[in-house]
Amino acid sequence: MSVPDPLEHKVARTRRLLSAFLDRARRVAVAWTGGKDSGVVLWLWRGLLAEHGLGPARALCVDTGLKFPEVVALRGRLARDWGLDLVVARPDVDIAAYPAAEDKVACCRELKIAPLKRAVADLGLEVLLTGLRRDEHPSRAKREFQEQRRDPDHLLAHPILDWTEMDVWAFITGQGLPYCGLYDQGYRSLGCAPCTARSGQGERSGRDPDKEGHLEALRDLGYF
Amino acid sequence: MAKRARCLVLGLDGLPLGLARDLSDQLPNLGRLARSPGASAIRAELPEISPVNWTSFYTATGPGEHGVFGFSRMDPSSYQLSLTDSGQVAVPTIFDRLGRKGLVSRVVNLPNTYPARPLRGMMVAGFVAQDLLRAVYPGFLAGPLSRAGYRLEAETKNAARDPDRLLAELGLTLRGREAAVDLLWPDLSWDLFVLVLTETDRLFHFLFHALVDPEHPRHPACMDLLKRWDAVLGRMLERFEALPEPKRLIVLADHGFTRLKTEVDINYWLVERGLLRLLPGPGGEWDAGRIDPRSKAFALDPGRVYLHTRTRFARGGLDRAGAQKVKKLLIDGLAALTWNNERVINRVYEAAEIYQGPLLDRAPDLVCLANPGFDLKAKFDRSEVFGLFGRTGAHTAEDVFFYDSGPARAPERVRDVGTLVLEYFGLLDKDKALICP
């Protein structure tokens, strides 16, 4: 029988990682997708800020214009209920005329990465907190908790990198946190609507396999 | 930070204490529990079937409060039968009550929790569960459970004809239950963990004769399955022992079991006495739509008898005085029913004798408690009162297995075990004294 790694140890470790950024809290944002993982990071960061009288938490959400309406609705509700400083970054394209998901790499670069980088620069962010986890995808297995990024210069931090999908849900259901209703309809990982379907057995099996195959390339481009 | 108090509840569906003690030498982990001072016998709620009893456990209430009186219920207007499910449970569950206090529950294979309802924690619903996605909360669990080969239920349709297949199926469900525990246990971010192993009930229904007869050719295969079941039990006990204090282990069954003498169809007994008339039609065992307006009474599985009154049922014709007369006739007639000179019915209860609560008006008018070995049925297509249909075990209401690692006092009924859990977590209503001696 494997020795269990209690979730409370992981939560404590994540809080320690996040605490290191409290001294520059105004230049920190959570890259919040409206999904479960970044939602957990946002909840923990928001809690730490509140404990130190440093709120509100800043959340940076890239809205490609192709998000599920359920995700957008949750974003609005939580921004209000959690008192977030929400910044929504949008691509500089006419989404109605854009050939969404035709060239997956180009699509992610133009609709996600470009507006994200622009927002990081405009907000003068030093640290961007993500909900990235190692167990999501083989390309993420060797990621480090912190990665220095250029253009613009900022630190990308992954405070729940060592959490599993089970840990995330254990935390959400244990804390009674709100989450997007799509997860109860068979979705396990939420991206843009054209590239996301209900999942099979793997967490990201509902993501477009073509795009999944390009995750390394997207990471090189600055995608998470 | 205060230490987290945890409670593990193990459900051993259909296990009688007497049988557990008889098997103690061959099933060492069960033996540890069955022979310890913490073991005792409790009584099942009536009728002594799984949905009634597990619902009583997980709500800490009786049927008059939670509203589940059997596997099925009949729409009094359309006469359509439907299966009982979690949507008909009329009171908060112990998981709801723990959740309101911020306490987290993890639940695996608990009967009558389908479809899984949101809770503070996680749920893999049990019998009768059909679709894995609707059986789990949160929904993501369907993925890893499916990958682990989790089976909601063993195929029992052909179990009587193909018992070897049944044994193989039960081996698979057992493996799946443990896979679910492997998933839900290790992070330890829970306060209450409930695992119900239903393999005993399925085995006993179809192979009780082989289990209790060492000379039977299938006895070794039954024992082999039970030894694997005992090994799962042992690993659960190891997990419990590895938990830090404070902690509590509670083990219970929902009813007992014994060797079947005969099935007894109450509806055909009513037909023979002219109290139940069935409309023509192909029908089927669940076709309550065949109840003729001239019927005075009918039954639903297992021994729930309803007076066909005009105030309760769309086609009913009995008035109050007529109902009293028929009720007396039924009580006397059922009490006198014999098979091979043995009395079939131990006692016929009027609803108010055994049920209390706001849902008493949904209860059957009479509930029959059979003597051990008689399995009451209420089909709509049988042509004889007595008969055997491939099953060899029958539920019992007495001698229901119970074990508690806590203070040495035993509850009386299954619902009281739910109360024990609430008490352990300090959630007992001040006005609700624990019904323990």
Side-chain angles (χ1 to χ4, degrees):
Chain A
M1 198 181 301
S2 62
V3 178
D5 186 9
L7 180 58
E8 65 185 31
H9 292 179
K10 290 184 178 176
V11 172
R13 198 154 54 232
T14 295
R15 282 172 54 88
R16 281 197 301 276
L17 286 167
L18 289 172
S19 296
F21 305 125
L22 285 169
D23 59 351
R24 47 193 147 151
R26 292 310 305 154
R27 294 186 298 282
V28 176
V30 177
W32 183 36
T33 65
K36 62 188 190 304
D37 307 302
S38 57
V40 165
V41 173
L42 182 56
W43 171 260
L44 287 167
W45 176 240
R46 174 181 170 269
L48 262 183
L49 291 176
E51 287 170 26
H52 291 81
L54 292 172
R58 175 174 282 175
L60 171 56
C61 184
V62 177
D63 191 336
T64 58
L66 299 169
K67 281 184 168 289
F68 286 96
E70 293 90 341
V71 173
V72 175
L74 178 76
R75 184 181 73 195
R77 182 160 67 88
L78 290 192
R80 185 186 66 241
D81 294 350
W82 290 4
L84 302 174
D85 173 9
L86 175 64
V87 177
V88 179
R90 293 189 166 85
D92 193 15
V93 300
D94 175 5
I95 196 68
Y98 188 81
E102 278 188 15
D103 176 338
K104 304 291 190 317
V105 174
C107 188
C108 277
R109 184 176 61 232
E110 289 163 14
L111 300 191
K112 285 185 178 172
I113 298 163
L116 178 72
K117 285 184 169 184
R118 199 162 52 240
V120 169
D122 291 350
L123 295 168
L125 295 180
E126 292 183 13
V127 180
L128 195 57
L129 305 172
T130 83
L132 190 146
R133 300 184 348 258
R134 282 194 179 115
D135 78 328
E136 275 181 293
H137 193 276
S139 71
R140 294 178 173 176
K142 292 183 178 169
R143 300 289 288 267
E144 299 296 332
F145 281 95
Q146 296 184 12
E147 299 168 336
Q148 187 62 47
R149 290 296 172 101
R150 306 290 172 210
D151 186 29
D153 283 353
H154 65 286
L155 190 68
L156 204 56
H158 315 299
I160 61 166
L161 189 65
D162 61 343
W163 290 35
T164 63
E165 184 185 21
M166 179 67 191
D167 292 330
V168 169
W169 281 111
F171 189 80
I172 289 172
T173 58
Q175 297 288 322
L177 301 186
Y179 61 85
C180 180
L182 291 171
Y183 288 117
D184 288 332
Q185 297 171 31
Y187 292 87
R188 289 171 63 186
S189 180
L190 297 176
C192 292
C195 289
T196 306
R198 286 180 174 81
S199 301
Q201 293 192 347
E203 182 179 359
R204 289 179 71 95
S205 61
R207 294 297 193 99
D208 185 283
D210 192 20
K211 200 198 93 176
E212 289 295 281
H214 289 109
L215 263 186
E216 274 303 335
L218 291 166
R219 183 204 162 199
D220 294 341
L221 290 166
Y223 178 54
F224 303 140
Chain B
M1 195 194 303
K3 284 189 175 175
R4 192 168 197 163
R6 291 189 178 86
C7 178
L8 168 61
V9 176
L10 290 175
L12 308 178
D13 201 300
L15 183 70
L17 179 62
L19 181 65
R21 286 182 170 153
D22 289 347
L23 294 171
S24 283
D25 289 340
Q26 296 164 82
L27 306 175
N29 296 301
L30 178 65
R32 276 164 58 196
L33 298 175
R35 285 193 295 250
S36 88
S40 61
I42 59 173
R43 270 192 294 123
E45 311 286 343
L46 299 180
E48 64 278 27
I49 55 174
S50 289
V52 174
N53 278 277
W54 288 119
T55 306
S56 297
F57 158 69
Y58 76 67
T59 61
T61 65
E65 293 166 276
H66 60 61
V68 174
F69 296 94
F71 264 121
S72 59
R73 64 178 193 167
M74 193 189 80
D75 184 310
S77 301
S78 68
Y79 287 63
Q80 293 299 303
L81 283 186
S82 58
L83 283 177
T84 303
D85 66 22
S86 65
Q88 286 143 32
V89 178
V91 294
T93 66
I94 59 174
F95 319 119
D96 295 331
R97 294 172 68 175
L98 264 66
R100 285 203 285 268
K101 297 287 183 184
L103 298 171
V104 178
S105 302
R106 298 274 173 89
V107 184
V108 178
N109 196 37
L110 181 59
N112 206 41
T113 52
Y114 180 88
R117 301 194 303 199
L119 72 160
R120 187 170 284 238
M122 296 187 180
M123 165 80 74
V124 184
F127 193 68
V128 179
Q130 290 133 354
D131 170 30
L132 185 59
L133 185 57
R134 295 184 70 211
V136 296
Y137 178 83
F140 99 95
L141 284 172
L145 286 175
S146 174
R147 195 169 54 222
Y150 189 84
R151 301 271 298 268
L152 286 166
E153 191 56 46
E155 170 64 69
T156 54
K157 193 175 172 189
N158 298 310
R161 278 196 300 276
D162 191 355
D164 293 331
R165 168 99 188 270
L166 173 70
L167 289 163
E169 291 263 333
L170 293 175
L172 292 176
T173 57
L174 193 57
R175 196 186 304 164
R177 309 294 180 232
E178 198 163 29
V181 174
D182 287 341
L183 185 67
L184 268 65
W185 180 284
D187 64 67
L188 299 181
S189 58
W190 46 266
D191 303 279
L192 171 65
F193 198 102
V194 179
L195 167 68
V196 180
L197 298 175
T198 41
E199 286 71 22
T200 33
D201 178 272
R202 311 303 184 264
L203 178 72
F204 297 167
H205 267 297
F206 294 98
L207 287 163
F208 201 87
H209 65 299
L211 176 69
V212 297
D213 177 6
E215 303 304 317
H216 192 283
R218 281 207 173 79
H219 179 78
C222 293
M223 288 310 302
D224 180 57
L225 178 76
L226 283 183
K227 283 173 184 167
R228 279 186 279 160
W229 170 90
D230 188 66
V232 173
L233 182 60
R235 287 191 284 276
M236 290 306 295
L237 297 178
E238 279 175 30
R239 287 179 194 268
F240 176 75
E241 282 156 15
L243 288 175
E245 295 285 356
K247 59 188 174 182
R248 178 90 164 253
L249 171 64
I250 294 174
V251 187
L252 80 153
D254 53 336
H255 54 76
F257 244 101
T258 192
R259 189 161 183 171
L260 177 69
K261 293 172 180 168
T262 182
E263 294 189 9
V264 184
D265 191 75
I266 302 295
N267 273 339
Y268 195 73
W269 182 84
L270 292 168
V271 167
E272 281 189 331
R273 276 143 194 82
L275 295 168
L276 172 61
R277 291 166 186 253
L278 295 174
L279 296 166
E285 62 179 320
W286 298 102
D287 190 5
R290 291 179 63 205
I291 296 174
D292 186 291
R294 291 169 293 175
S295 299
K296 309 290 187 209
F298 64 90
L300 298 180
D301 272 340
R304 294 175 285 155
V305 182
Y306 294 80
L307 298 168
H308 200 212
T309 57
R310 65 175 61 142
T311 50
R312 186 169 184 180
F313 298 101
R315 300 178 203 161
L318 279 181
D319 59 17
R320 184 181 290 216
Q324 287 304 318
K325 207 178 293 178
V326 173
K327 188 196 285 185
K328 174 82 168 61
L329 204 64
L330 289 170
I331 292 172
D332 293 345
L334 287 165
L337 178 62
T338 59
W339 177 82
N340 287 352
N341 296 320
E342 269 191 79
R343 276 187 58 196
V344 170
I345 304 293
N346 180 286
R347 185 165 170 189
V348 181
Y349 290 95
E350 295 197 41
E353 290 182 88
I354 51 172
Y355 302 134
Q356 296 82 39
L359 301 181
L360 186 58
D361 61 347
R362 291 191 203 170
D365 295 287
L366 301 172
V367 177
C368 303
L369 173 63
N371 280 315
F374 295 103
D375 190 3
L376 303 184
K377 300 293 181 195
K379 309 297 184 192
F380 290 92
D381 64 347
R382 289 222 174 146
S383 54
E384 52 195 339
V385 175
F386 301 108
L388 292 171
F389 297 85
R391 290 170 284 268
T392 65
H395 291 192
T396 58
E398 303 292 331
D399 195 36
V400 179
F401 188 92
F402 176 78
Y403 166 90
D404 187 0
S405 69
R409 52 179 186 164
E412 289 182 8
R413 298 167 297 183
V414 169
R415 77 183 75 171
D416 304 330
V417 183
T419 306
L420 273 184
V421 173
L422 292 176
E423 185 188 55
Y424 177 68
F425 287 109
L427 297 176
L428 200 58
D429 293 341
K430 283 180 184 152
D431 61 343
K432 191 170 182 180
L434 190 60
I435 315 165
C436 291

